[in-house]
Amino acid sequence: MRIDKFMKVSRLIKRRTVANEVADAGRITVNGKPVKASYAVKEGDVLEVAFGQTPVRVKVVSTEAPTGKDLAREMYVVLSE
């Protein structure tokens, strides 16, 4: 799954176009390296997203699209906020 789609489906970012812009601006890193929106997310990846002054680090648990919005938060584990 592409990182921009993962961000939208997991509800870390509300819209895919915004996730695409954030990734292309270099504000998303995977395992310490900046990535573009087309990066394929894998289970076990550690994502860091810079939301203003507060970076959020999450670990990817699943890349399967959830069946409901209640299950979206089960796609990742928050490491730090």
Side-chain angles (χ1 to χ4, degrees):
M1 178 181 298
R2 290 171 50 114
I3 195 160
D4 57 346
K5 185 172 182 181
F6 177 82
M7 300 298 269
K8 186 227 182 269
V9 171
S10 66
R11 298 181 180 263
L12 285 169
I13 295 179
K14 286 187 178 184
R15 289 175 297 198
R16 187 170 177 179
T17 55
V18 174
N20 195 328
E21 292 169 1
V22 170
D24 288 340
R27 298 178 63 126
I28 299 177
T29 60
V30 177
N31 301 324
K33 299 176 187 171
V35 296
K36 296 294 181 184
S38 61
Y39 176 82
V41 178
K42 298 176 286 299
E43 293 179 10
D45 281 347
V46 176
L47 309 178
E48 185 169 337
V49 184
F51 290 114
Q53 299 296 325
T54 310
V56 176
R57 293 182 68 217
V58 298
K59 183 174 182 179
V60 178
V61 176
S62 172
T63 57
E64 297 294 322
T67 55
K69 66 180 181 180
D70 298 338
L71 303 175
R73 299 205 191 278
E74 295 177 5
M75 294 181 70
Y76 60 90
V77 175
V78 176
L79 300 176
S80 66
E81 290 187 43

